[in-house]
Amino acid sequence: MRLAAAYSAGMADHSITRYLADQGGDADPTETAEWRDAFQALVATQGPARARFILDQLAVLARHPGVAWSPELVTPYVNTVPVEKQPVFPGDLAIEEKLASLMRWNALAMVVRANTAYGELGGHIASYASAADLFEVGFNHFFHARNDKQGGDLVFFQPHSAPGVYARAFLEGRLTQEDLAHYRQEISAPAAGARGLSSYPHPWLMPDFWQFPTGSMGIGPISSIYHARFMRYLTHRNLLDCEGAGSDTEKRIDKRRVWGVFGDGEMDEPESMSALTLASREKLDNLVWVVNCNLQRLDGPVRGNGRIVDELEKLFRGAGWNVIKLLWGSDWDGLFARDTTNALVRAFAHTVDGQMQTFAAKDGRFNRDNFFGQDEELARLAQGMTDEQIDRLKRGGHDLVKIHAAYDAAAKHRGQPTVILAHTKKGYGMGAAGQGRMTTHSQKKLDDAALLEFRNRFNLPVSDAQATSLAFFKPADDSPEMRYLHARRDALGGYMPRRETACDVVPVPAANTYAQFALQAAGKEMSTTMAFVRLLGTLLKDPQLGPRIVPIVADEARTFGMANLFKQVGIYSSAGQSYEPEDIGSVLSYREALDGQILEEGISEAGAIASWTAAATSYSVHGVAMLPFYIYYSMFGFQRVGDAIWAAADQRARGFLLGATSGRTTLGGEGLQHQDGSSHLVAATIPNCKAYDPAFAGELAVIVDHGMREMLVEQRDVFYYVTLMNENYANPDLPEEARDGVVRGGYRHASFGDASASRRVTLLGSGAILTEVLAAARQLAAEGMAVDVVSVTSWSELAREGRACEEQAKVPYVTQLLAGSGPVVAASDYVRAVPESIRAYVPQGRRYATLGTDGFGRSDTRAALRAFFAVDAASIAKAARFAGA
Ligand SMILES: Cc1ncc(C[n+]2csc(CCOP(=O)(O)OP(=O)(O)O)c2C)c(N)n1
C-alpha cells in the first residue's frame, strides 16, 4: 500500500524512518512541497520557538480520533547535536588522539600477554576498543575526581572494558608495568612484587581503586540510577550538598554527576531498564548514561534485524529521558551537508544492524560498492573519496569532537536524566582480526601481522619488535602527552577511579538506653518484627545516629507494622507532598516530605536493594556514613535479588538487611512462593555477610547493637542479614552473660529435667522454631530426660568460626557449647542444610540429627505446616528419642 493511501485509510505507519524510506508514496508532491515551504518560511521568519508553538497547535488537531496521529518517538538516524551547535573542542585534539591510541595499545597488550602466557585467563579486547574514545573524553574533560574541595563524580565503567582503565592508570603512574603484566593474576602477583589486577571492577579485590562493581550485567545501570537518587536524598536531607554551591548556571554545571558507560547488549537485562522512569520522575539531571552502541554483544548482533539505537531511543524517550544520539563522526558532516535529498538518512533507514555490522567488518571498497553503491545519489556523495577515506569514516563514538559535544549537551541539560546513544564499532581498529566480527567479543589473541596492523592503524610509536613482543608503552614523563594527561586530571580534581574509605565515626548509644523493652522483656508477648520496628523507631530519635539511619521498604511497611514511621520521620519525596493525604488526621498518616527519611521504593526489590547499596556505601562514596535498614519479605531477598546483594558485598556495603515474615512454616497462609526456607543458606555463602536468625527480642537487640558498632564505630566492611518473624510469643529476659554468645551464634538458653538423669539430649533451635524446641524439651524432660536447649542465633557464624578454628587447630566455640553427652538434635525453619552446616564441629561421640523444611512451601496453619515439615515439638521430641536420647 502506498503511504498516502495508507494515511487516507487511517492505517498510517507514523515512523519517520519508514516515511523517509518510502518517499515515493506521496500522492500529491506539489501540495506536500507547499506545506513544507510554508513551514520552512515560518522557521526562517518567526524562529524556532514560534515554529514549535504552531506545531503544538497542529498536534492538538492531529490527535483528533478521526486523524489518530501521534508523533513517533524515533528520530532519523543522525546526530542529535547539530554541527552548528557543537561547542569548540576545548582540548588538544592531536594529543588526545595519541593518548587514546596508547590506552588502546596497552589495554590490548595486557590482555594478549596474559592469554599468551596462560590461555585460561581470558579477558576482552574488543569492548574497550569500541569504548576507548568514550572513556577518554570523559577522563580528559568531564569526570571530576573527589578531593578536599569537591565531592567528585561517580563513574560506572563497562566491566569488560576494565583493561582500558588499567591502561590509563598505568600512564598516570598509578599502576606499574609489572601490575599490568599481572592482569587477572591476583594470587601470583605479590610473589613478583606486583599487584594483581582484577578481571572486572571489584572493590573487594582492589579496595583503593574500583568503586562500583559492574561485572554482572544490569547491576551497574540500575545501581547508577539509585546512586544518583541517593545523592539527591543526601542533599534534600541536608546531610551533604551534592548539587554544587550557588544557583547560577555556570556553577551548577560543576555539580556532582553520576556517569555510566554501559553496553547496548546490557540494556536487555531487566534490571538495566527497570528504573528508567524513576530517574525521569525524580528529574535526575545529575545522571548521564552513555550506551556504547557497537551493535554487538557476545554471540552476535544485539538486534540483527532491527536497529538497537531506534529501539533504545523510543524506550528512553518514552520513559522521559533526554536522548542524545551520537551516531556519526565529523568526516560525515560534509557528506550530510552535500546530501540535499536525504539520501543518507533514507539509506540508514533501510540498514538494519546486522548489515551495519557487516559494513564495519569490511573495507572501504566493500562499503563503496555496497553502501554508497545502493543508488546514484549515494554514489555521487562518495565520489572523490578514496577507499581508504571511506574505510576511515568514523562513527560518532570514535570522534572526540562529537563525543565532547554530546557530553557537553548532557552535562548542561536540566530537569531530566540523559542517555547518549553512541554508535561505535566493536573491536575498532582490530582490522581483519576483529573489527565488527561476530567472534570479536571473545578475541584474546592477535598474531604478529595483526599486531603490526594495529600499530600502524593508530600510529603507535613502537617498533616491530616491541609490537610483536607486546611491550607496554609509556611516553617520557616530560613529553607533551604526559604533561597534558596529568594537567587534564589535575584540572578535574585528580585521578580516578579511586575508592576512599575515610568517614566520620557515628556514635552508637548504649543498648540499655534504647532496648530495655527487649533485653528485659519479662515474658512480654511480641514478634521479632514488632521488636525490630520498636527498636528502629527509638534509634531514629537518637540525635546523632538517628539522622544517619535510612529505613527502606518495598511497599510492605504496613505489613511489618511500620506505618507509624510514615508520620514520625516522613517518606522521602523530591516533590514534597502536593496533595492532602486521605488520612491526614491520623497518627499513621502517609506523610511525604522533601526531607523525609524513609525510602519507599514501591514494588521493586531490585530498586530497593540498589537504594540500600547506595546508602550502605555512602561512607566510602561520599565520606558520610549512613546506616540503611531495608526490611522486606525474606523470600524476595537473596532468592530474588541475590546477585545484587553479592555485588553490594563486593562494594563493601555496611548496613542491615531484614528478612521479615521469614521461615517456611512461620508465615502460615502465604504458600509456596512466599515461604522462605533458603535465604540463610545463600547468606552464609557471602564472606562479609553476618546472618542471624534470632528467636527473641533481646537477641535481636544485641545483634543490632553489635552490628551498628562494627559498622559505624569500628568501621568494618560487614553487613548484617537478620531474619524476623511475625509470630507472637512470650519473650524472656536476656541475661547479660548471654550477650556474647548471641553475637557468636548461640548460647545455652535453658535446661530442663533432672540434671543427673542418665538419658540426656541437647536441643538446638533458631528463630521461631526455638519455641517448638522448648516445647519438645519439656516433653522429653517429662519423660525423665535431662535436656539442654541452645538458642542458635546464627548457624553460619558458628560454622564460620568452626572452620577458622580448625585451620588454627583450636577448639571451635560451637564444639565447646555442645560439650556433654547424648545426642544433639537441631531444628530450624530453613532447609536442613542450614543446621547441617555445623555438623563437623559437633563433639565426637555425640550423634547429630537435623530437622528442616526441605521441599515446597504450602498454605495451612503454623501447627499443620510444622507437623508436615516435621519441625514441630512432637517431631523434635521424636527425633531425639530416635537418636538415642
Ligand atoms: C548477568 C550477566 N550475563 C552475562 C554476562 C556475560 N557477558 C559479559 S560481556 C557480555 C556481552 C556484552 O555485550 P554489550 O553489553 O553489548 O557490551 P559490548 O562488549 O558489546 O560493548 C556478556 C554476555 C555477564 N557479564 N553478566
Side-chain angles (χ1 to χ4, degrees):
M1 190 184 296
R2 308 289 278 174
L3 202 69
Y7 266 78
S8 61
M11 294 164 60
D13 176 343
H14 304 304
S15 155
I16 289 175
T17 40
R18 286 278 181 87
Y19 162 72
L20 286 164
D22 194 10
Q23 246 191 352
D26 189 346
D28 189 347
T30 314
E31 186 189 38
T32 310
E34 280 169 15
W35 280 88
R36 224 184 352 248
D37 291 347
F39 182 71
Q40 279 169 346
L42 177 74
V43 178
T45 57
Q46 312 291 313
R50 176 74 186 148
R52 283 196 297 271
F53 177 81
I54 296 289
L55 285 175
D56 285 344
Q57 295 296 307
L58 291 175
V60 172
L61 297 177
R63 285 198 175 110
H64 183 278
V67 184
W69 178 89
S70 62
E72 69 150 354
L73 296 167
V74 176
T75 58
Y77 210 73
V78 295
N79 292 341
T80 303
V81 180
V83 182
E84 60 277 12
K85 288 258 172 78
Q86 245 172 246
V88 176
F89 187 72
D92 184 321
L93 204 52
I95 290 191
E96 290 194 24
E97 276 176 351
K98 244 187 221 169
L99 283 169
S101 298
L102 292 178
M103 308 297 172
R104 287 173 191 285
W105 170 254
N106 287 325
L108 175 146
M110 188 185 324
V111 177
V112 180
R113 272 168 85 130
N115 281 279
T116 307
Y118 310 100
E120 74 218 62
L121 291 178
H124 305 84
I125 304 170
S127 301
Y128 178 67
S130 70
D133 301 299
L134 299 173
F135 280 21
E136 279 303 296
V137 172
F139 276 122
N140 284 322
H141 300 280
F142 292 94
F143 299 164
H144 293 83
R146 181 170 144 197
N147 60 27
D148 297 345
K149 297 191 199 73
Q150 62 190 38
D153 294 331
L154 285 53
V155 184
F156 287 70
F157 295 100
Q158 209 182 0
H160 42 295
S161 291
V165 181
Y166 294 139
R168 178 164 249 277
F170 167 57
L171 288 203
E172 290 169 347
R174 301 198 296 146
L175 294 175
T176 68
Q177 193 155 311
E178 273 308 299
D179 299 337
L180 294 202
H182 286 86
Y183 166 62
R184 294 192 171 215
Q185 297 153 68
E186 292 144 31
I187 297 167
S188 37
R195 94 179 276 192
L197 304 182
S198 59
S199 51
Y200 302 113
H202 290 305
W204 190 264
L205 301 171
M206 296 178 69
D208 58 344
F209 195 87
W210 292 116
Q211 283 186 291
F212 307 108
T214 48
S216 180
M217 313 253 97
I219 287 179
I222 189 169
S223 192
S224 72
I225 292 177
Y226 281 88
H227 270 284
R229 207 271 301 253
F230 191 70
M231 283 159 70
R232 283 281 165 79
Y233 174 88
L234 288 175
T235 305
H236 288 149
R237 289 201 47 222
N238 294 317
L239 291 161
L240 183 72
D241 178 11
C242 299
E243 289 293 301
S247 56
D248 62 297
T249 324
E250 282 310 306
K251 265 267 169 55
R252 272 166 45 216
I253 290 168
D254 280 327
K255 72 181 184 180
R256 298 179 66 194
R257 284 203 170 66
V258 179
W259 294 84
V261 185
F262 306 116
D264 48 357
E266 184 174 9
M267 289 300 118
D268 280 339
E269 286 289 358
E271 291 88 352
S272 300
M273 307 301 273
S274 66
L276 294 190
T277 51
L278 173 109
S280 56
R281 205 180 318 125
E282 294 293 316
K283 302 185 173 60
L284 296 181
D285 55 13
N286 57 347
L287 177 67
V288 181
W289 279 12
V290 181
V291 179
N292 177 9
C293 296
N294 58 29
L295 317 185
Q296 282 180 256
R297 42 179 166 69
L298 197 154
D299 284 342
V302 178
R303 294 288 182 274
N305 295 308
R307 270 186 303 279
I308 188 64
V309 169
D310 289 2
E311 191 175 321
L312 293 178
E313 181 180 25
K314 271 192 264 191
L315 267 165
F316 279 90
R317 209 184 288 287
W321 285 51
N322 174 42
V323 180
I324 297 177
K325 295 205 291 192
L326 164 61
L327 303 186
W328 306 109
S330 302
D331 34 17
W332 287 86
D333 288 347
L335 290 171
F336 280 113
R338 279 188 277 130
D339 178 18
T340 50
T341 59
N342 280 334
L344 282 170
V345 174
R346 272 202 312 281
F348 296 145
H350 285 302
T351 312
V352 292
D353 286 352
Q355 190 60 41
M356 200 69 94
Q357 182 194 345
T358 301
F359 290 137
K362 304 286 184 186
D363 61 10
R365 175 91 223 160
F366 181 93
N367 276 275
R368 177 193 298 285
D369 293 347
N370 293 280
F371 179 74
F372 288 105
Q374 292 179 70
D375 63 44
E376 278 178 19
E377 283 167 286
L378 289 172
R380 237 192 329 272
L381 285 175
Q383 262 170 18
M385 289 175 79
T386 64
D387 288 350
E388 167 93 9
Q389 282 171 321
I390 292 178
D391 191 45
R392 294 288 172 95
L393 279 172
K394 279 182 183 166
R395 292 186 180 173
H398 296 306
D399 184 313
L400 302 181
V401 175
K402 296 285 185 193
I403 299 170
H404 176 271
Y407 285 17
D408 184 68
K412 287 178 174 149
H413 191 76
R414 293 285 164 266
Q416 285 175 299
T418 292
V419 63
I420 295 169
L421 302 175
H423 191 204
T424 62
K425 287 182 182 174
K426 192 144 178 175
Y428 183 60
M430 286 167 73
Q435 179 173 289
R437 302 270 158 197
M438 285 292 180
T439 52
T440 194
H441 186 88
S442 312
Q443 180 92 14
K444 305 170 201 338
K445 292 185 183 169
L446 275 84
D447 63 19
D448 287 356
L451 289 170
L452 293 175
E453 195 185 319
F454 191 88
R455 188 267 319 264
N456 296 342
R457 167 75 181 77
F458 291 107
N459 297 322
L460 292 158
V462 292
S463 68
D464 285 10
Q466 285 173 316
T468 53
S469 66
L470 296 160
F472 295 123
F473 184 83
K474 188 174 180 181
D477 285 348
D478 60 352
S479 63
E481 301 91 77
M482 292 298 275
R483 289 211 305 271
Y484 186 87
L485 172 118
H486 291 297
R488 287 313 309 150
R489 285 317 311 167
D490 196 38
L492 290 161
Y495 303 106
M496 67 176 337
R498 201 179 68 234
R499 183 177 173 278
E500 309 274 356
T501 51
C503 71
D504 49 345
V505 168
V506 180
V508 174
N512 295 340
T513 63
Y514 65 89
Q516 214 53 22
F517 77 96
L519 294 169
Q520 277 162 16
K524 193 163 179 261
E525 283 212 352
M526 65 184 125
S527 69
T528 45
T529 306
M530 284 162 66
F532 167 73
V533 174
R534 191 163 163 191
L535 280 178
L536 184 65
T538 314
L539 288 170
L540 280 163
K541 290 181 188 145
D542 184 85
Q544 285 169 295
L545 173 63
R548 304 301 185 97
I549 291 176
V550 185
I552 302 174
V553 289
D555 201 30
E556 283 148 0
R558 290 185 198 279
T559 309
F560 308 136
M562 292 170 69
N564 59 320
L565 293 184
F566 292 164
K567 183 103 179 214
Q568 185 185 325
V569 293
I571 298 163
Y572 170 69
S573 158
S574 61
Q577 192 159 37
S578 56
Y579 60 96
E580 183 175 289
E582 165 278 318
D583 57 0
I584 192 160
S586 153
V587 284
L588 305 179
S589 174
Y590 196 84
R591 185 172 76 85
E592 300 193 63
L594 186 64
D595 62 352
Q597 198 160 348
I598 299 171
L599 287 172
E600 163 65 84
E601 302 300 357
I603 312 168
S604 171
E605 282 76 17
I609 199 74
S611 226
W612 179 81
T613 307
T617 55
S618 172
Y619 76 92
S620 157
V621 176
H622 305 293
V624 178
M626 302 294 287
L627 188 70
F629 288 88
Y630 168 33
I631 181 166
Y632 55 90
Y633 263 71
S634 76
M635 192 60 156
F636 306 140
F638 286 90
Q639 171 139 320
R640 180 71 173 243
V641 291
D643 197 20
I645 300 176
W646 184 247
D650 184 356
Q651 205 178 329
R652 296 169 174 266
R654 299 175 186 168
F656 285 91
L657 293 174
L658 290 312
T661 57
S662 77
R664 187 152 279 162
T665 67
T666 308
L667 181 64
E670 293 284 281
L672 184 151
Q673 198 87 50
H674 287 66
Q675 291 163 344
D676 167 30
S678 54
S679 65
H680 274 288
L681 206 53
V682 186
T685 63
I686 303 181
N688 50 345
C689 173
K690 293 193 166 187
Y692 289 91
D693 186 28
F696 298 121
E699 297 173 359
L700 172 72
V702 168
I703 292 161
V704 169
D705 177 69
H706 189 77
M708 291 195 298
R709 277 170 218 290
E710 265 200 294
M711 295 185 261
L712 294 176
V713 181
E714 295 157 34
Q715 306 206 338
R716 298 188 51 212
D717 295 345
V718 291
F719 67 98
Y720 277 51
Y721 174 56
V722 186
T723 39
L724 302 174
M725 274 77 56
N726 59 342
E727 183 177 355
N728 285 319
Y729 44 77
N731 279 256
D733 290 353
L734 185 80
E736 185 83 31
E737 62 275 14
R739 290 191 188 186
D740 181 53
V742 168
V743 172
R744 297 177 82 175
Y747 66 100
R748 200 169 283 246
H749 175 72
S751 296
F752 297 86
D754 176 3
S756 62
S758 58
R759 292 175 69 200
R760 314 188 66 84
V761 64
T762 302
L763 302 182
L764 272 55
S766 71
I769 294 300
L770 191 71
T771 58
E772 302 290 341
V773 166
L774 289 167
R778 284 184 205 102
Q779 279 179 27
L780 294 169
E783 293 168 23
M785 289 181 220
V787 188
D788 287 326
V789 173
V790 170
S791 173
V792 174
T793 48
S794 172
W795 304 95
S796 47
E797 283 306 294
L798 292 178
R800 194 171 273 163
E801 200 257 0
R803 268 191 305 280
C805 285
E806 235 173 16
E807 279 164 20
Q808 299 160 24
K810 287 192 201 151
V811 182
Y813 169 67
V814 62
T815 311
Q816 297 169 38
L817 195 61
L818 298 179
S821 59
V824 179
V825 178
S828 94
D829 216 2
Y830 289 83
V831 291
R832 274 183 60 216
V834 172
E836 277 294 318
S837 63
I838 64 160
R839 174 178 291 280
Y841 317 110
V842 175
Q844 272 186 358
R846 297 198 78 175
R847 186 149 181 219
Y848 186 55
T850 54
L851 300 175
T853 55
D854 296 43
F856 282 122
R858 58 208 68 214
S859 301
D860 213 310
T861 60
R862 263 181 210 133
L865 287 170
R866 288 180 182 168
F868 176 83
F869 282 105
V871 291
D872 61 339
S875 304
I876 295 166
K878 193 168 143 196
R881 286 182 216 110
F882 185 74

